[in-house]
Amino acid sequence: MSTIIVGLVVLACLGIAAKHIYKLFHGETSCCGTEQPKVPEKKLNGPVVGEKVVEISGMTCGNCKNRVEMLLDDIDGAAAKVNLHRNQATVKMTRDVSDDEIRTALAGSGYEVVAITKS
């Protein structure tokens, strides 16, 4: 009888863990601390003159998405939108933003710029 009880407890724990892992990989839960509010979309002043796609590694959740968008939005003349499932940020620009500016914005954040391409 005790073997059945222990088995049920272990099975319940595995079920809870599986549910959390599912949510984690679908960006529905926070792995980086407490849930942060959604970042408001940055409005650019002036016409968009270019767009770059930044491939980024290290993003795992909605908090990561918010943080990367905030870091890239701090670049003057740039606004970012992150696609967490593709591990990419699309950066729209009202001026020519260099790849070095993008790398510098994310430097020390724990996220790695894998590649930057013009869109």
Side-chain angles (χ1 to χ4, degrees):
M1 181 68 165
S2 64
T3 305
I4 293 173
I5 293 172
V6 170
L8 290 174
V9 169
V10 169
L11 189 61
C13 290
L14 287 173
I16 292 169
K19 182 178 178 182
H20 178 73
I21 290 170
Y22 176 82
K23 285 184 175 184
L24 176 67
F25 283 111
H26 285 87
E28 299 171 10
T29 186
S30 169
C31 69
C32 300
T34 59
E35 195 74 25
Q36 295 179 1
K38 183 175 166 71
V39 177
E41 189 174 331
K42 181 179 177 182
K43 304 287 184 200
L44 291 173
N45 296 325
V48 174
V49 296
E51 187 174 294
K52 292 185 178 184
V53 176
V54 184
E55 291 183 44
I56 303 167
S57 68
M59 297 186 298
T60 58
C61 68
N63 284 336
C64 295
K65 174 188 178 298
N66 291 343
R67 187 163 182 226
V68 168
E69 285 179 351
M70 286 187 332
L71 291 169
L72 292 173
D73 283 352
D74 282 344
I75 299 172
D76 185 43
K81 184 74 175 166
V82 171
N83 184 322
L84 185 60
H85 299 291
R86 290 186 177 171
N87 291 318
Q88 293 179 338
T90 301
V91 181
K92 294 185 180 189
M93 306 169 292
T94 59
R95 65 175 184 83
D96 186 29
V97 175
S98 72
D99 293 355
D100 286 338
E101 285 181 271
I102 293 171
R103 291 181 199 284
T104 300
L106 295 175
S109 64
Y111 307 107
E112 181 184 350
V113 175
V114 177
I116 301 174
T117 57
K118 287 193 176 187
S119 178

